Amino acid sequence: MSNTDQIPSNNLLSGFLILLASIIIFAIAQVIERFLNSYELSSMYISFCAGFILFTPLVSLALHPLLLVNNDKHHQFKTTGLLVNVGLVAVVQGAFFLIWMTDAIAVYSIYVDANSFLAKAFNINSQKTTSLNQEFYWFNLFLAWFFALLSLTLGLLPCLIARLKNLGVVGNFVSAFEFAKQCKLQMLFYAFCLAFVVVMPLMYAKYLFVLLFPVALTWIFMTIASKYLASLEAKLCSSLK
């Protein structure tokens, strides 16, 4: 997967799509933050920031044009194929995001602010007398890292493997788990980096997210792709001996 194998137009397509996706996520985050502030629910914004990480596999599809490993016209990346994948992944990731936010609302209403607008709207009653606001904050930071690891292992990796060497649905997931287990320390580090560039900028630096997120995700994506290809070559060499 050398630079000479990459078509400039596909590089431009990837850059445009991942930047567009970052801007859309940023715009949605700003609307949500203003809405939460208007109802004095700013403490819950971190839950949405953590939830946005679940869309990483969807956004990473924008980087697939960079994975042209040969110039054969039958294997070249097609925009129509990208759009189909976007639709399928969007449904799955959207469902995960809605499930997480529903649970986050319940946790926030029970353990952080039982008198909030959300608690009243969803008719949630709690007997808790102490607020766990700090614990809620750190719990969401941990979940952000966990969501990042989950998104890389169960979302980004299987799609990446399917693009490089399709092993079937089950085979792609099995190979993804094997690779993640083999490189568990690196995956934990990549997950930390991904969680950091999503949550911290959205919480404290705003516009920096539009720059850091696409750069970090591109670096993580290409690094994992390179390591996976290297592992395939190592397996091939060992099998030939």
Side-chain angles (χ1 to χ4, degrees):
M1 191 174 56
S2 63
N3 292 331
T4 56
D5 292 326
Q6 297 178 352
I7 300 174
S9 61
N10 289 326
N11 294 342
L12 292 175
L13 175 63
S14 286
F16 171 75
L17 289 176
I18 194 170
L19 182 60
L20 177 63
S22 301
I23 293 174
I24 291 175
I25 292 175
F26 175 75
I28 295 174
Q30 294 309 296
V31 172
I32 291 174
E33 183 180 24
R34 291 184 180 181
F35 177 81
L36 293 176
N37 288 337
S38 65
Y39 286 97
E40 299 182 349
L41 296 170
S42 58
S43 297
M44 194 178 175
Y45 179 57
I46 190 173
S47 295
F48 284 89
C49 294
F52 288 141
I53 296 174
L54 292 171
F55 289 100
T56 298
L58 174 62
V59 178
S60 69
L61 291 178
L63 298 171
H64 280 223
L66 300 177
L67 297 177
L68 295 176
V69 294
N70 56 61
N71 291 320
D72 188 276
K73 64 180 181 180
H74 297 295
H75 293 87
Q76 287 185 4
F77 188 86
K78 296 184 181 300
T79 305
T80 54
L82 172 64
L83 295 178
V84 171
N85 287 331
V86 166
L88 293 174
V89 177
V91 172
V92 176
Q93 297 304 128
F96 276 117
F97 181 76
L98 290 176
I99 292 172
W100 157 238
M101 290 318 306
T102 301
D103 293 340
I105 289 172
V107 171
Y108 180 86
S109 301
I110 294 173
Y111 296 103
V112 180
D113 189 356
N115 297 316
S116 68
F117 162 77
L118 290 175
K120 295 177 182 178
F122 288 90
N123 195 28
I124 297 176
N125 297 317
S126 175
Q127 302 300 321
K128 293 288 295 184
T129 58
T130 58
S131 174
L132 299 178
N133 193 49
Q134 285 296 320
E135 289 80 357
F136 182 77
Y137 176 85
W138 288 106
F139 176 67
N140 276 277
L141 288 182
F142 170 78
L143 280 181
W145 169 81
F146 177 74
F147 286 162
L149 183 62
L150 195 67
S151 296
L152 293 177
T153 304
L154 298 181
L156 186 148
L157 260 176
C159 292
L160 176 69
I161 293 171
R163 182 68 187 92
L164 294 174
K165 185 180 179 181
N166 195 355
L167 303 174
V169 176
V170 176
N172 292 336
F173 276 95
V174 171
S175 184
F177 275 111
E178 290 178 349
F179 178 80
K181 183 178 180 181
Q182 178 184 354
C183 305
K184 51 183 175 293
L185 292 180
Q186 292 95 323
M187 293 297 292
L188 290 173
F189 175 70
Y190 298 149
F192 172 80
C193 292
L194 179 61
F196 183 87
V197 300
V198 172
V199 176
M200 292 299 129
L202 286 178
M203 289 288 294
Y204 306 111
K206 295 195 180 230
Y207 298 103
L208 198 58
F209 169 83
V210 179
L211 173 64
L212 290 181
F213 177 64
V215 171
L217 182 57
T218 301
W219 170 72
I220 291 171
F221 181 85
M222 297 307 297
T223 302
I224 291 177
S226 298
K227 288 183 178 295
Y228 180 73
L229 286 174
S231 68
L232 288 181
E233 292 179 0
K235 289 180 180 179
L236 181 60
C237 292
S238 62
S239 63
L240 294 176
K241 291 181 179 179

